[in-house]
Amino acid sequence: MDAVLDDLARHWWLYAAIPFVAALIGYVTKRVAIEMMFKPLDFVGIKPFLGWQGVVPKHGGRMAAVATELLTSNLLDVKEVFRRIDPAIITREIEQPLLRAVDEVAREVLEKHHPRLWEVMPTMAQELLIKQVQASTPRLVREFMAEMTENLDEVLDFQHMTVQRLTRDKKLLVRLIRETSRPEMAFIARTGIYFGFGLGVVQAIVWAVTKEPWVLPIFGGCIGLLTDWLAIKLIFVPREPVRVGRVILQGKFQRRRAEVAHQYGEMIANEILTVPNLLDAVLRGPRSDRLYALVERLVAHAVDEQASVAKPMVAMAVGGQRLQEIKQAAARKALERLPPTIRHAEGYLTEAMDVAKIVERRMLGLTPLEFEGLLRPAFRQDEWKLIAVGGLIGFLVGELQVLLMLH
């Protein structure tokens, strides 16, 4: 005992340094584990034996599918979102660009598919025809919105759109998870300091008594392993508040439910379910042919209605085959003009759909287990690897401590 006390007196600064070094081990292993979750975006190293890719970008497809499943099953009914759009208001918002588009489409189609008929028509007759088509356009827009909302699943594959958006843009997927869990990541790093310091005190005592060289690296490895594992667990559990005396314990992520719900809703609204993304999905997605069929049917009905009085004469002058071509060309041109026309109503559509508020409200109604599913998949897949890396780094730093103590 006297020898131990004498050693402590002569090398007190070394023993005093052990808890601080252990705290540093705890912090560094946590920071490394956090960065390894998200970086690098692409594999770096020699496949398949040596190298690393961030856990989130590596499993981007699966995580995107999980996030999309949560979004579509618990947080968002896309039909409900579309029903919030008032066709009368959207028609008013796009009135001028819509009238210009109708004018351009009608002239282009007639000039291309029946130039002789168009050329021989008096200017007044041309203008009258355009005005008639323009006058029927608001009703056509209302019919289009009603049909599209009613048959939304046929023209929009929302799950495909979301998964594609998240898998194509790895940075977006990383940002979606990282931004909503930033306080949890900071918490993990801080716990490494506190747990590491506490274990470091025990480590210093054991070293003073045993002088066993394996004590420091083993303790360093244990600090890395235990603190990584414990920090991850403390994010999620307990799911429900548990009172211990005057202290209420609950997983940090669960405690931040309101903040996370608001942040997640804003990101979904601003990054995924945007008006441009929805337009791209319906115009170029796997079900775009059904949208074209819908527009073609509505345009054909409008053309027939305009020509209803003189239909036999129109059919004779134009020809049934050419009249069908005119309808198809008008439908194609209408879809081409859709994005620049709708852009004038983007502000109204974003406000009317109010995706952020819908997602936020639904998230607040999730069960704790469902809410945990928002972030938990980011950890679960390769969680053991992150913990193992923490243990390895702790072991190596422990070896350095041995060299310091002995030399």
Side-chain angles (χ1 to χ4, degrees):
M1 188 62 181
D2 290 339
V4 170
L5 294 174
D6 182 61
D7 185 54
L8 283 171
R10 284 189 297 111
H11 302 103
W12 65 269
W13 60 275
L14 286 174
Y15 286 100
I18 290 177
F20 291 98
V21 174
L24 181 62
I25 293 172
Y27 179 76
V28 170
T29 55
K30 302 305 155 294
R31 291 306 317 177
V32 170
I34 290 167
E35 293 306 313
M36 286 176 68
M37 283 187 62
F38 303 109
K39 298 179 182 178
L41 290 177
D42 299 303
F43 184 87
V44 174
I46 303 171
K47 288 187 175 182
F49 307 106
L50 184 64
W52 185 261
Q53 181 181 10
V55 174
V56 172
K58 179 181 179 182
H59 301 286
R62 183 184 59 80
M63 290 187 180
V66 170
T68 301
E69 177 63 27
L70 175 68
L71 194 61
T72 55
S73 61
N74 293 322
L75 302 182
L76 204 59
D77 180 347
V78 185
K79 277 193 175 183
E80 177 192 340
V81 171
F82 270 74
R83 287 193 189 102
R84 299 168 73 94
I85 300 170
D86 188 330
I89 296 178
I90 193 172
T91 304
R92 188 168 65 246
E93 291 285 326
I94 64 174
E95 181 179 7
Q96 291 307 314
L98 182 62
L99 293 177
R100 287 195 298 270
V102 169
D103 185 290
E104 292 169 4
V105 168
R107 292 178 189 277
E108 285 179 23
V109 169
L110 288 170
E111 285 173 2
K112 180 177 180 180
H113 290 274
H114 210 306
R116 289 183 182 178
L117 178 63
W118 184 251
E119 287 170 6
V120 299
M121 286 180 68
T123 303
M124 186 177 294
Q126 291 179 355
E127 295 299 327
L128 181 60
L129 177 61
I130 298 296
K131 294 296 182 186
Q132 283 181 323
V133 175
Q134 288 176 329
S136 66
T137 301
R139 182 170 54 80
L140 190 64
V141 171
R142 289 193 295 272
E143 289 177 5
F144 172 72
M145 290 299 301
E147 289 249 16
M148 187 170 172
T149 303
E150 187 63 31
N151 304 288
L152 190 61
D153 292 337
E154 294 183 13
V155 298
L156 173 64
D157 189 339
F158 179 62
Q159 286 194 325
H160 178 270
M161 181 197 92
T162 308
V163 171
Q164 285 289 99
R165 180 87 176 94
L166 291 174
T167 51
R168 276 203 311 264
D169 189 349
K170 295 177 183 176
K171 288 183 179 178
L172 173 59
L173 180 62
V174 166
R175 194 162 68 251
L176 184 66
I177 294 175
R178 187 159 199 167
E179 289 303 315
T180 53
S181 63
R182 191 171 292 278
E184 281 69 38
M185 301 305 164
F187 171 76
I188 288 176
R190 287 198 305 273
T191 56
I193 297 174
Y194 306 142
F195 295 151
F197 188 90
L199 289 172
V201 172
V202 178
Q203 189 180 19
I205 295 171
V206 173
W207 170 263
V209 174
T210 65
K211 292 295 191 297
E212 174 57 55
W214 283 105
V215 166
L216 295 182
I218 288 175
F219 262 84
C222 289
I223 291 170
L225 288 170
L226 181 61
T227 55
D228 273 16
W229 175 82
L230 193 56
I232 291 174
K233 291 298 179 186
L234 287 176
I235 289 177
F236 301 107
V237 295
R239 294 189 182 101
E240 299 282 3
V242 175
R243 180 177 292 278
V244 180
R246 295 185 177 182
V247 179
I248 297 176
L249 302 177
Q250 188 180 19
K252 186 172 179 62
F253 191 62
Q254 298 287 352
R255 290 202 307 271
R256 285 199 319 116
R257 176 180 289 243
E259 181 186 343
V260 171
H262 177 75
Q263 195 172 20
Y264 196 78
E266 290 289 333
M267 291 197 71
I268 294 298
N270 297 330
E271 302 280 1
I272 296 176
L273 202 62
T274 64
V275 174
N277 286 350
L278 284 169
L279 268 177
D280 184 71
V282 297
L283 291 174
R284 299 180 182 84
R287 300 175 185 174
S288 57
D289 57 328
R290 301 175 193 179
L291 177 72
Y292 173 76
L294 169 63
V295 172
E296 185 179 21
R297 177 160 46 82
L298 290 172
V299 168
H301 178 69
V303 171
D304 288 340
E305 197 174 60
Q306 290 297 320
S308 60
V309 177
K311 193 167 186 181
M313 294 175 59
V314 171
M316 186 181 299
V318 177
Q321 179 62 34
R322 186 166 292 179
L323 187 60
Q324 184 62 29
E325 291 174 0
I326 287 175
K327 294 175 183 178
Q328 292 173 347
R332 284 195 300 271
K333 290 291 182 182
L335 284 174
E336 287 175 10
R337 295 293 196 285
L338 188 59
T341 304
I342 288 294
R343 189 161 54 239
H344 292 81
E346 189 171 331
Y348 163 70
L349 289 170
T350 302
E351 183 180 347
M353 292 191 297
D354 202 11
V355 172
K357 287 294 183 185
I358 293 174
V359 172
E360 181 179 353
R361 187 173 65 252
R362 293 279 179 84
M363 282 186 70
L364 292 175
L366 294 177
T367 66
L369 188 58
E370 289 170 337
F371 185 73
E372 180 181 313
L374 180 68
L375 183 62
R376 186 62 171 160
F379 290 87
R380 186 176 286 118
Q381 182 70 24
D382 284 344
E383 186 176 301
W384 68 270
K385 292 182 183 178
L386 301 178
I387 295 172
V389 167
L392 177 62
I393 294 174
F395 183 88
L396 294 175
V397 175
E399 278 291 336
L400 292 176
Q401 283 183 301
V402 171
L403 294 176
L404 176 67
M405 296 298 290
L406 294 178
H407 302 289

